[in-house]
Amino acid sequence: MSLVSFSRRGVLAAGTALALMLGAASLAQAQTPPGVLIVGQIAEPKSLDPAAVTAVNDFRILMNVYDGLVRYKDGTLEVEPALATDWTISEDGTEYTFTLRDGVTFHDGSAFDAEAVKFNFDRMLDESHPFHDTGPFPLAFFFTAVENVEVVDPLTVKFTLNAPYAPFLSNLAYPTGLIVSPAAVEAGGSNFGRNPSGTGPFKFGEWRSNEAVVIEANPDYWDGAPELQAVVFRPITDANTRTAEMLAGGIDLMVEVPPVALSEFQSEQYSVFEQAGPHVWFLILNAKEGPFADKLVRQAANYAINKEALVNNVLEGTAEVAAGPTPPAFAWAYNPDLEPYPYDPEKAKELLAEAGAEGASLTFYVTEGGSGMLDPIAMGTAMQADLEAVGFDVTIETYEWNTFLGEVNPGLEGKADMAEMAWMTNDPDTLPFLALRTDAWPDKGGFNSGYYSNPKVDELLEAARVATDQEERAKLYKEMQVIVQEDAPWVFVANWKQNAVTSDRVENFSLQPSFFLLLDDVVKN
């Protein structure tokens, strides 16, 4: 019997039985199969095409199916070789030449080579490419500095950039840089994201919508076959349901444990993991129209929300109050002189009076769950109360995660005044460049859904990404943080310490500062 069949008939049958058990209020420990890891995910993935997605929820699957030219070294955000064994950089910082690993094949049997690398980046960046229409590719911004990708020989590929670009190697290690099989894209077209093929430690098995994504061990993996036979990713949006399934034994690994549930996993049956990382939880404010077009009103919202209470009470101390757009995990680029907006409802009322915005009505988009969103309904409800206490009139609209992204990413204009959001990033350039520049407004392909615009911020971000000296980059980022905090295009809420829990049958698991799940060394007894 194939693993796919096994997973369909066995694992999900066990899941159905578990649901019945829970319905009968029985918490008897279910037995998931040895060698098959059942992961409780926070949402249904949008796609399994790494060039087409933006959410860490999807990345957690993709990083086990694909490889990039480079990857993050275990436990760090430092870059090390992967599909490229080494590389050279020209003196002016505009040419990167990679030597590729010999003998690697995609899961569909086609060869990995320089032509495949060129295909991947041309597909994202060249509008005339025959498979560019398999997008859109929302994070192609990562590689806009790439002017040309040249096949030097079958195992050598050269990237020519239009200017020095400091985050280039780090971005290649991010999921947007993962290498897909050209043959599979040609065969699947716009459906490739439902039938993926990479070179990673696990091969795609099947995807049953709203039930499971199954991946199987790749015995021919260039870096050694994984220990597991298969991994089943189950979308369980409701955090309480994920917790109940973890306690009942229906899943082996649970990500993003609700803070209030952590105490339930303190026995020897479980291992709880925590890992700080580059995360920001914030509210996007619509700076283009409505009350938040006025900076005073945006600042008032920052003063109105009791972020200490959110972090200590709602999040149970699993996060720190955010001071600005850059996470402190990027220690070299973070501005330690910034202090978070204090909780000062009287100051908020004064600013609203000065702006003539007392009683302003706000439409607030809240998600049911999603990558790094940290109990978003409870957070949204608490923030609604704080905002109403200073005179706002706040109406919440709640959406499932992928529907939420479909509403927020195209921009809030004409729809909402504010929306929850969280980003987990790989470089201090990523979030501000994609979500705070004028040229990152949604109609220009970016994620600046609140339409913030400050020419000085644009200038600093453009300069920082071409600066090859890290001290110079740090100076530019720190100056940017001061301006953005003052302009308050977001309510800066929290920096999270990610968490996960495993059963005592799982060994060799660890969390990564990248927020990805790397499962090739995990053992399930």
Side-chain angles (χ1 to χ4, degrees):
M1 181 181 294
S2 74
L3 280 173
V4 174
S5 298
F6 174 79
S7 297
R8 179 190 299 116
R9 299 174 188 174
V11 173
L12 289 179
T16 302
L18 175 64
L20 293 173
M21 287 163 49
L22 291 174
S26 170
L27 292 179
Q29 189 82 4
Q31 283 293 309
T32 58
V36 178
L37 185 75
I38 315 297
V39 180
Q41 284 270 81
I42 58 175
E44 175 85 343
K46 181 179 180 180
S47 170
L48 298 181
D49 180 348
V53 295
T54 64
V56 170
N57 182 65
D58 300 18
F59 296 164
R60 288 175 174 137
I61 303 174
L62 299 175
M63 294 300 290
N64 295 285
V65 176
Y66 300 94
D67 297 301
L69 295 177
V70 297
R71 64 188 180 190
Y72 298 126
K73 187 177 179 180
D74 186 37
T76 77
L77 291 174
E78 299 172 18
V79 169
E80 69 175 8
L83 289 176
T85 56
D86 56 69
W87 55 88
T88 59
I89 306 171
S90 64
E91 286 189 13
D92 66 358
T94 63
E95 291 183 354
Y96 288 70
T97 303
F98 294 87
T99 301
L100 305 182
R101 195 172 297 277
D102 195 8
V104 177
T105 58
F106 290 102
H107 300 149
D108 59 13
S110 60
F112 164 75
D113 55 18
E115 290 286 358
V117 176
K118 178 175 173 60
F119 177 98
N120 272 258
F121 289 91
D122 286 354
R123 178 174 77 115
M124 275 193 289
L125 301 172
D126 182 359
E127 293 183 1
S128 66
H129 189 272
F131 292 93
H132 184 75
D133 62 358
T134 56
F137 307 114
L139 296 184
F141 262 120
F142 275 46
F143 302 111
T144 50
V146 176
E147 197 168 73
N148 184 53
V149 183
E150 176 187 348
V151 174
V152 178
D153 61 48
L155 292 178
T156 310
V157 63
K158 182 169 73 173
F159 290 76
T160 301
L161 311 185
N162 55 24
Y165 178 41
F168 182 59
L169 285 174
S170 180
N171 284 357
L172 286 175
Y174 206 66
T176 314
L178 294 171
I179 304 299
V180 310
S181 163
V185 173
E186 291 167 1
S190 59
N191 290 321
F192 169 73
R194 300 285 303 199
N195 297 280
S197 177
T199 62
F202 294 89
K203 300 184 291 185
F204 174 70
E206 65 174 331
W207 179 355
R208 296 183 303 282
S209 295
N210 299 311
E211 291 184 23
V213 171
V214 182
I215 59 175
E216 306 173 23
N218 174 13
D220 302 317
Y221 185 47
W222 59 267
D223 202 21
E227 299 289 338
L228 295 164
Q229 299 173 48
V231 182
V232 180
F233 294 90
R234 293 183 52 203
I236 308 172
T237 301
D238 181 73
N240 293 326
T241 304
R242 275 202 315 282
T243 299
E245 291 233 20
M246 189 73 211
L247 290 167
I251 56 179
D252 308 303
L253 165 62
M254 173 181 174
V255 295
E256 301 192 23
V257 185
V260 295
L262 283 171
S263 61
E264 299 189 59
F265 298 107
Q266 298 306 311
S267 73
E268 293 182 356
Q269 289 180 284
Y270 306 101
S271 295
V272 176
F273 299 83
E274 288 189 337
Q275 166 75 56
H279 168 277
V280 185
W281 202 109
F282 57 99
L283 299 184
I284 304 169
L285 305 180
N286 185 344
K288 187 176 185 180
E289 61 183 6
F292 291 130
D294 189 326
K295 181 172 75 172
L296 296 178
V297 182
R298 300 196 299 270
Q299 291 174 336
N302 273 277
Y303 284 114
I305 291 175
N306 189 342
K307 294 174 282 293
E308 290 281 356
L310 292 172
V311 163
N312 293 326
N313 300 332
V314 180
L315 301 181
E316 302 276 334
T318 59
E320 302 288 343
V321 173
T326 300
F330 294 125
W332 63 271
Y334 178 69
N335 190 334
D337 295 332
L338 286 185
E339 293 289 339
Y341 275 86
Y343 174 54
D344 190 341
E346 293 308 314
K347 176 70 170 177
K349 291 176 183 177
E350 290 174 12
L351 291 171
L352 288 178
E354 185 179 346
E358 304 101 318
S361 296
L362 304 176
T363 298
F364 181 16
Y365 282 176
V366 169
T367 179
E368 295 173 355
S371 299
M373 287 307 304
L374 311 185
D375 213 353
I377 292 178
M379 293 279 279
T381 302
M383 289 186 283
Q384 178 189 38
D386 284 347
L387 291 168
E388 290 189 334
V390 301
F392 289 107
D393 180 13
V394 184
T395 300
I396 286 179
E397 295 184 13
T398 306
Y399 298 92
E400 175 274 332
W401 176 238
N402 286 316
T403 304
F404 177 83
L405 293 179
E407 292 289 337
V408 175
N409 286 348
L412 300 182
E413 183 178 11
K415 297 182 293 186
D417 300 288
M418 56 195 293
E420 297 177 338
M421 189 50 66
W423 275 63
M424 294 164 273
T425 60
N426 63 316
D427 189 276
D429 168 81
T430 307
L431 175 57
F433 195 82
L434 294 180
L436 288 173
R437 287 182 312 124
T438 307
D439 281 344
W441 283 21
D443 62 352
K444 300 177 183 179
F447 294 89
N448 188 347
S449 299
Y451 316 98
Y452 172 63
S453 178
N454 185 311
K456 183 60 178 179
V457 169
D458 296 343
E459 177 188 324
L460 290 167
L461 290 172
E462 293 288 354
R465 66 178 0 214
V466 301
T468 54
D469 178 76
Q470 184 164 292
E471 288 188 10
E472 176 62 18
R473 287 187 77 200
K475 177 183 175 183
L476 296 166
Y477 288 131
K478 290 175 182 179
E479 186 178 350
M480 174 274 297
Q481 291 165 56
V482 172
I483 298 170
V484 170
Q485 190 200 50
E486 167 71 14
D487 281 348
W490 304 336
V491 174
F492 311 104
V493 180
N495 302 119
W496 176 51
K497 292 174 283 190
Q498 63 169 320
N499 60 33
V501 62
T502 66
S503 76
D504 58 3
R505 300 173 65 195
V506 177
E507 299 176 4
N508 296 346
F509 174 76
S510 61
L511 286 171
Q512 300 292 326
S514 61
F515 292 90
F516 308 145
L517 290 181
L518 304 181
L519 302 175
D520 48 318
D521 291 330
V522 170
V523 174
K524 161 76 177 301
N525 299 313

